[in-house]
Amino acid sequence: MIPESQLVAMSMTNYDQFLSENKISSDRQKTDMVKRVGDKIAIAVAEYMEQNGLSSRIQNYAWEFNLVDEDVPNAWCMPGGKVVVYTGILPYTQTEAGLAVVMGHEIAHAIARHGNERMSQAILIETGGLALATAVDSKPEETKGLFMMAYGVGASVGISLPYSRSHETEADKLGLIFMAMAGYNPQEAVDFWGRMAQSGGQKPPEFLSTHPSDQTRIADLTAFMPEAIKYYKK
Ligand SMILES: [Zn+2]
């Protein structure tokens, strides 16, 4: 895998650039909610990592939470804790706890370094195994494109990939723990994915109903719920 510190460095640049090129929501209330949920989950993550002797994994995180005004049901987290939620997912999240489901899930992908795995594979395939720093220097645009794809940022421009089934399952479980520790009822996740399942229309790969199927996901979440409830700080 690529050293995580290199990807964190890349995310600082790419996140700022993304924000400068996209419309940040001017809705004060919704923006505050995104930042509030993010702050609570960040505290929960720090606590969880400390309990598991993994604090070094987030030592160079500089959390940031932004709401982007775009009608696409999506969200993502770059390494280093750079999070974007799109306004288009709020009709599905509905409540603050619903938003915590989504943000917990996306943050879990970053904490579990799923993007790193995808980025490492992509660099290997697309550049024949160049070191990341070399790839950044010699093919900056291509490398940036791979980065955006690996972290699910490209959804709205059609270059995103679904995470693998095992990544999804891990992010679901870890996400439930994070939201529960942050004070949100993890049971809300079942309701959120139920709403996703009922909705038709175009969804980005991260929220495709076929991956895993909504039924499988909801069954898995329900099976894990007794464990998640143990972390729930009411
Ligand atoms: Zn996911």
Side-chain angles (χ1 to χ4, degrees):
M1 294 231 288
I2 296 164
E4 186 76 2
S5 58
Q6 291 183 17
L7 293 174
V8 170
M10 259 186 112
S11 85
M12 301 298 164
T13 314
N14 288 331
Y15 189 72
D16 287 348
Q17 196 181 347
F18 178 90
L19 291 179
S20 71
E21 291 168 353
N22 288 271
K23 191 177 165 224
I24 295 174
S25 172
S26 55
D27 187 318
R28 194 70 251 165
Q29 212 179 340
K30 287 175 181 158
T31 300
D32 284 350
M33 179 172 68
V34 166
K35 292 182 190 292
R36 185 166 61 242
V37 172
D39 287 342
K40 286 185 186 176
I41 292 178
I43 292 167
V45 167
E47 203 180 325
Y48 180 85
M49 298 309 262
E50 198 185 339
Q51 285 168 4
N52 289 279
L54 295 168
S55 292
S56 62
R57 277 196 171 215
I58 53 165
Q59 66 186 1
N60 45 13
Y61 268 52
W63 295 99
E64 221 178 310
F65 310 98
N66 281 287
L67 179 64
V68 165
D69 198 356
E70 195 180 338
D71 192 20
V72 46
N74 203 16
W76 44 259
C77 176
M78 287 179 185
K82 303 298 190 186
V83 177
V84 157
V85 173
Y86 296 83
T87 49
I89 204 161
L90 299 180
Y92 299 98
T93 57
Q94 291 186 1
T95 63
E96 192 163 322
L99 180 60
V101 175
V102 168
M103 293 178 75
H105 177 94
E106 295 309 322
I107 287 167
H109 275 308
I111 296 293
R113 301 188 170 172
H114 296 158
N116 191 329
E117 222 171 286
R118 283 146 59 98
M119 184 68 179
S120 302
Q121 283 168 355
I123 289 281
L124 186 65
I125 293 164
E126 299 296 327
T127 71
L130 285 181
L132 179 64
T134 314
V136 170
D137 285 342
S138 61
K139 301 178 177 181
E141 278 310 304
E142 190 185 350
T143 310
K144 185 193 165 185
L146 294 176
F147 179 91
M148 300 304 249
M149 190 172 68
Y151 289 97
V153 180
S156 52
V157 288
I159 55 159
S160 196
L161 280 175
Y163 283 99
S164 69
R165 171 79 194 280
S166 62
H167 282 172
E168 283 305 319
T169 303
E170 191 179 12
D172 277 344
K173 289 182 177 177
L174 211 45
L176 280 192
I177 291 174
F178 293 158
M179 75 176 288
M181 290 176 75
Y184 299 105
N185 188 345
Q187 190 65 39
E188 296 269 344
V190 175
D191 301 335
F192 166 76
W193 287 106
R195 287 193 292 275
M196 273 304 209
Q198 280 167 9
S199 74
Q202 288 282 314
K203 280 182 272 187
E206 170 68 336
F207 293 98
L208 277 183
S209 60
T210 51
H211 191 79
S213 79
D214 294 312
Q215 260 186 328
T216 305
R217 187 190 299 264
I218 289 169
D220 288 350
L221 285 170
T222 305
F224 188 69
M225 203 55 70
E227 181 65 20
I229 292 286
K230 291 180 193 165
Y231 292 87
Y232 182 26
K233 292 180 183 166
K234 286 177 195 164

